[in-house]
Amino acid sequence: MAVAIRQAQPGDIPEVVEMINGFASRNLMLPRTPEAMAKTLPDWLVAVEREEDRGDVLLGCGSLVALTPELAEVRSLAVHERGQGKGVGSLVVENLVGLAKAREFSQVCALTLREEFFQRLGFEIVDRWSISPKLWQECIYCPKFHRCDEVAVLKYLTERRPEEANGSRSGQVNPLLKWQAWQPLKLAYSYKPIHLDEE
Ligand SMILES: CC(C)(COP(=O)(O)OP(=O)(O)OC[C@H]1O[C@@H](n2cnc3c(N)ncnc32)[C@H](O)[C@@H]1OP(=O)(O)O)[C@@H](O)C(=O)NCCC(=O)NCCS
């Protein structure tokens, strides 16, 4: 299978959104609208299979979102069922990491249910609350907000300073971030809704 990664084009939008929303309907990721994708098109990559007679056949997609000047997020990663398990998802993430480096971010993160997949690509699991609150901006739209099972993963794109290289930083507050900012959201997240039928 000849897979190419390229920047998304306007003509990709309907198929990409349909694929993402198919997975979203199974609670695997958040849905996207064509309008939102169109507004951020330069931040999207697609994986396609090049076929002479049919042109590009969509296999996967992913986007890079700037959370802070230092930190970018891999978002909306999806691979069509016809392309899964063949390295396409890994290729999309590697290219998004390359894009993050080219845009001079020093860290790239993701929220995922597939943490082992990201670990194989050099990401480490971190405390979700150590990442910029902007990572959580979208969470209020998620049906799983109060019972989130996603894991935060982070990859450093620049060399670590010697005092940071002993691994002790994992799970700790990210020094690049203003941790106070996420406290209200953390409280909201920890709040357990009370249902009338509960004792
Ligand atoms: C998660 C997802 C993006 C992974 O994409 P993918 O193309 O299947 O990923 P890869 O093929 O690169 O890697 C998947 C597995 O195949 C294995 N693999 C990689 N290259 C391979 C190859 N050439 N042949 C066989 N297996 C391979 C990898 O080791 C990996 O193992 P893992 O599942 O234990 O991590 C895809 O499954 C998906 O879109 N899922 C639904 C949407 C979703 O969950 N999105 C949110 C993701 S955070």
Side-chain angles (χ1 to χ4, degrees):
M1 186 167 68
V3 181
I5 304 284
R6 61 163 170 77
Q7 200 154 33
Q9 306 296 322
D12 298 316
I13 294 176
E15 219 184 333
V16 167
V17 170
E18 189 187 334
M19 177 175 66
I20 289 176
N21 292 346
F23 289 128
S25 68
R26 287 151 51 190
N27 267 345
L28 293 172
M29 59 196 296
L30 287 174
R32 298 285 162 225
T33 63
E35 295 75 20
M37 183 176 170
K39 272 191 201 159
T40 54
L41 206 56
D43 304 325
W44 287 75
L45 298 180
V46 290
V48 295
E49 187 174 6
R50 297 244 144 102
E51 289 192 359
E52 271 182 27
D53 46 343
R54 289 200 296 161
D56 287 354
V57 177
L58 179 74
L59 289 177
C61 66
S63 71
L64 191 73
V65 179
L67 298 182
T68 73
E70 293 86 16
L71 177 67
E73 179 192 352
V74 168
R75 198 180 280 180
S76 303
L77 174 67
V79 174
H80 198 284
E81 271 101 349
R82 63 177 163 250
Q84 289 183 6
K86 297 172 185 165
V88 176
S90 305
L91 201 59
V92 172
V93 172
E94 279 162 1
N95 277 273
L96 288 170
V97 167
L99 185 59
K101 278 183 189 161
R103 292 182 177 180
E104 298 186 338
F105 289 99
S106 53
Q107 301 172 328
V108 61
C109 66
L111 279 178
T112 184
L113 300 171
R114 297 284 301 270
E115 64 270 27
E116 286 174 10
F117 166 80
F118 278 94
Q119 280 176 302
R120 266 191 278 279
L121 295 169
F123 287 73
E124 56 187 272
I125 295 175
V126 293
D127 178 353
R128 65 178 69 177
W129 298 109
S130 73
I131 297 194
S132 167
K134 291 199 175 169
L135 184 65
W136 301 96
Q137 263 175 0
E138 290 226 324
C139 294
I140 52 169
Y141 303 112
C142 179
K144 296 193 288 182
F145 179 62
H146 285 290
R147 50 187 169 82
C148 176
D149 46 5
E150 301 225 340
V151 173
V153 291
L154 186 70
K155 183 180 172 88
Y156 290 84
L157 307 179
T158 51
E159 290 232 348
R160 296 175 184 213
R161 290 192 297 273
E163 66 272 21
E164 295 171 339
N166 59 11
S168 62
R169 191 167 51 178
S170 285
Q172 291 183 357
V173 172
N174 185 330
L176 290 173
L177 307 171
K178 294 186 175 66
W179 65 271
Q180 290 92 339
W182 50 247
Q183 293 302 324
L185 187 55
K186 185 174 182 179
L187 279 177
Y189 173 79
S190 316
Y191 171 73
K192 276 198 171 23
I194 299 163
H195 296 289
L196 287 177
D197 54 354
E198 281 180 2
E199 286 184 16

